[in-house]
Amino acid sequence: MSTSGQLHKDQRPAALVTGGSRGIGLGIARALAEAGYNLTVAARDPERLEKAATDLRSTGVRVQTQAGDMAEEEDTRLLTRAHAEAYGRLDVLVIAAGVGTAGDIDSLPMRRFDKQFAVNLRSPFVLLQETLPLLRQTAARNPAHGAKVIGLSSITGVYSEAGLAAYGASKAALRSLCHSVNAEAAKDGVSATAISPGYVDTDMAAWQHDRIAPEEMIRVGDIAELALAVTRLSPQAVVPEMVVTRSGGMSA
Ligand SMILES: NC(=O)c1ccc[n+]([C@@H]2O[C@H](COP(=O)([O-])OP(=O)(O)OC[C@H]3O[C@@H](n4cnc5c(N)ncnc54)[C@H](OP(=O)(O)O)[C@@H]3O)[C@@H](O)[C@H]2O)c1
């Protein structure tokens, strides 16, 4: 845990972004970098992560990378410690790393179920266990802004979609976890928002291209814009949920 001396070693706010090497996580990381946040970005593939970091550094902020698998508890804990050591503060935690496998309830292999719950729910729980003390400390030192958690849920965690039962259940649980952060820590200036979009045009949604054209999907920039808006709110305004549907209906 950081000391008060460490907290002020860099006056810039600091954010930790999981899944920050591409897709929605990278889009949010870029928006935060442009807003002046120092960053820790994390993902498994170290080369792609370093490429993303090089791009983010062009904004002038500090960017450290930490490669690791969020399915592994130890990697998740190491990531949070690396962030605390580098910056001594955590203004925004973005939980974007996630995995999805399609399969009906009666045929989905349980190892696929376990993997989705490990990355989409267990790792966020561990991340919060590790970071809530630093989030609270940062909020206490910056009462005008507090500290924020942004969890990338999914519209399938709000409205069930056939073939995505395990993924949807893991994302519904992530929404619940964000609500629990608000129940336990909003009084301390730490609030959480679950963003639940329909299909966003990233690698993860590419398997749907024969059904939905990329240009009909939500833009990464749209989600980054919403995430950035949350970070600008006072601690008095708590936004537990943002549901983002594609034009055309209340489905993914
Ligand atoms: N795209 C959509 O339509 C959509 C809609 C609703 C919600 N979401 C959610 O939004 C989040 C971001 O999705 P996306 O579309 O940006 O996905 P993406 O393009 O597939 O990117 C996923 C990111 O997470 C990292 N990642 C994946 N598995 C990981 C693991 N086990 N450990 C550490 N990092 C891991 C990836 O890097 P590495 O592969 O190098 O690890 C990458 O940086 C996810 O939680 C997803 O469920 C996506």
Side-chain angles (χ1 to χ4, degrees):
M1 183 47 56
S2 59
T3 65
S4 57
Q6 285 173 312
L7 193 67
H8 293 292
K9 73 183 175 189
D10 191 329
Q11 294 304 313
R12 284 185 187 274
L16 166 52
V17 184
T18 73
S21 64
R22 57 195 165 91
I24 296 170
L26 177 57
I28 295 176
R30 190 172 286 126
L32 289 170
E34 284 166 1
Y37 283 75
N38 286 331
L39 293 171
T40 301
V41 286
R44 286 166 304 180
D45 179 345
E47 274 177 33
R48 193 154 31 189
L49 191 55
E50 202 42 57
K51 197 163 162 277
T54 302
D55 169 43
L56 293 167
R57 285 185 194 112
S58 67
T59 61
V61 300
R62 284 176 63 193
V63 182
Q64 79 160 343
T65 59
Q66 179 79 16
D69 186 348
M70 294 299 101
E72 300 294 332
E73 181 174 334
E74 193 52 27
D75 285 6
T76 306
R77 293 196 190 274
L78 284 174
L79 166 63
T80 62
R81 288 167 197 167
H83 177 90
E85 267 172 38
Y87 301 118
R89 61 187 290 168
L90 181 56
D91 299 80
V92 178
L93 168 65
V94 180
I95 305 172
V99 288
T101 308
D104 288 350
I105 297 168
D106 48 11
S107 60
L108 187 80
M110 284 314 290
R111 68 187 160 78
R112 300 270 188 208
F113 178 99
D114 291 340
K115 182 68 180 282
Q116 291 178 88
F117 271 75
V119 179
N120 299 351
L121 180 63
R122 197 173 192 282
S123 167
F125 198 95
V126 172
L127 277 170
L128 287 165
Q129 272 193 341
E130 285 282 341
T131 58
L132 271 170
L134 189 56
L135 286 161
R136 281 194 169 97
Q137 190 186 69
T138 306
R141 293 188 178 273
N142 194 6
H145 287 95
K148 316 288 185 196
V149 176
I150 295 167
L152 265 300
S153 176
S154 161
I155 202 160
T156 62
V158 183
Y159 308 105
S160 296
E161 183 175 331
L164 291 175
Y167 177 73
S170 72
K171 293 298 187 177
L174 179 61
R175 290 172 55 223
S176 170
L177 184 57
C178 289
H179 297 179
S180 295
V181 170
N182 291 329
E184 293 185 11
K187 64 182 185 318
D188 305 321
V190 181
S191 67
T193 303
I195 302 182
S196 301
Y199 287 111
V200 181
D201 181 19
T202 70
D203 296 346
M204 185 183 259
W207 68 291
Q208 284 285 350
H209 282 173
D210 56 349
R211 198 172 69 89
I212 307 166
E215 58 273 18
E216 290 173 14
M217 293 184 178
I218 298 160
R219 307 268 179 275
V220 166
D222 294 326
I223 306 303
E225 194 67 34
L226 292 173
L228 195 63
V230 167
T231 68
R232 291 178 171 147
L233 297 174
S234 80
Q236 281 65 46
V238 176
V239 182
E241 296 270 358
M242 286 183 169
V243 179
V244 189
T245 61
R246 286 189 308 114
S247 52
M250 299 290 273
S251 66

